[in-house]
Amino acid sequence: MPWKFDNERPIYLQMVDVMSMRIANQTYKPGSKIPAVRELALEAGVNPNTVQRVFAELERRGVLYTERTTGRYVCRDAVVLEELKEHLSQTYIDEMLRHLRELGLSDEAIQKTVVKRMEEVEK
C-alpha cells in the first residue's frame, strides 16, 4: 500500500492509522515481526524519528511489543487485536455518519441507504 499523507493531520498519526489497519487486516499477522524503523521510514518517505514515534504509540496501545535484541512484533493477544478492529470500525462508522448527516440524511434514511448499498455490494 503506497503511503499518501494529507495536511489535515500530523504524519505520525496518519502512519499510526495505516499501521493499525495493516495489523487489523493481518497484513502483519499476530506474533510477526514488523519492518525496522529505518526500513519503514524509507518506504514511507519520512524521518526515522517519525516512525519511532509511530511505534512508540502502537506499543503504548499494546498492539506492538519489543524484543530487546530482535525488533518489534505484533502482539498475540486476541482481545487486544479485536479491540483494535472494534476501534477502527467505530472510527470509520463515525466518519461515515458525520458525512451523511452533513448531507442532511435522517438516521432512518442512513439505515436504508447502508442496507441497500450492502445488498448491492454483495451481488
Side-chain angles (χ1 to χ4, degrees):
M1 168 191 304
W3 292 88
K4 296 180 184 176
F5 302 113
D6 62 47
N7 294 324
E8 300 296 316
R9 298 175 53 226
I11 288 174
Y12 90 95
L13 290 176
Q14 294 176 63
M15 289 188 72
V16 166
D17 290 348
V18 170
M19 291 298 293
S20 294
M21 180 58 78
R22 288 179 177 183
I23 292 166
N25 70 18
Q26 294 198 3
T27 297
Y28 300 129
K29 298 193 181 322
S32 68
K33 186 174 180 178
I34 61 168
V37 169
R38 291 193 194 317
E39 182 182 343
L40 192 58
L42 188 61
E43 175 191 325
V46 300
N47 187 300
N49 292 332
T50 301
V51 175
Q52 188 65 38
R53 192 171 179 189
V54 170
F55 288 172
E57 177 60 23
L58 292 170
E59 283 187 31
R60 187 189 69 74
R61 295 180 184 186
V63 178
L64 296 181
Y65 66 93
T66 300
E67 291 288 331
R68 284 183 58 152
T69 57
T70 60
R72 287 187 177 83
Y73 297 83
V74 176
C75 80
R76 291 187 167 101
D77 187 331
V79 173
V80 170
L81 296 174
E82 192 56 40
E83 287 173 353
L84 175 64
K85 283 184 182 182
E86 181 67 24
H87 172 75
L88 290 171
S89 297
Q90 293 298 325
T91 300
Y92 294 133
I93 290 169
D94 291 349
E95 185 176 339
M96 178 190 70
L97 290 173
R98 183 178 53 79
H99 287 298
L100 293 173
R101 287 184 175 132
E102 285 175 1
L103 289 173
L105 274 68
S106 67
D107 287 352
E108 185 178 315
I110 291 170
Q111 287 177 334
K112 286 179 183 178
T113 301
V114 169
V115 169
K116 179 181 175 190
R117 186 66 185 141
M118 287 176 65
E119 290 170 351
E120 291 171 356
V121 170
E122 289 174 4
K123 290 181 182 179

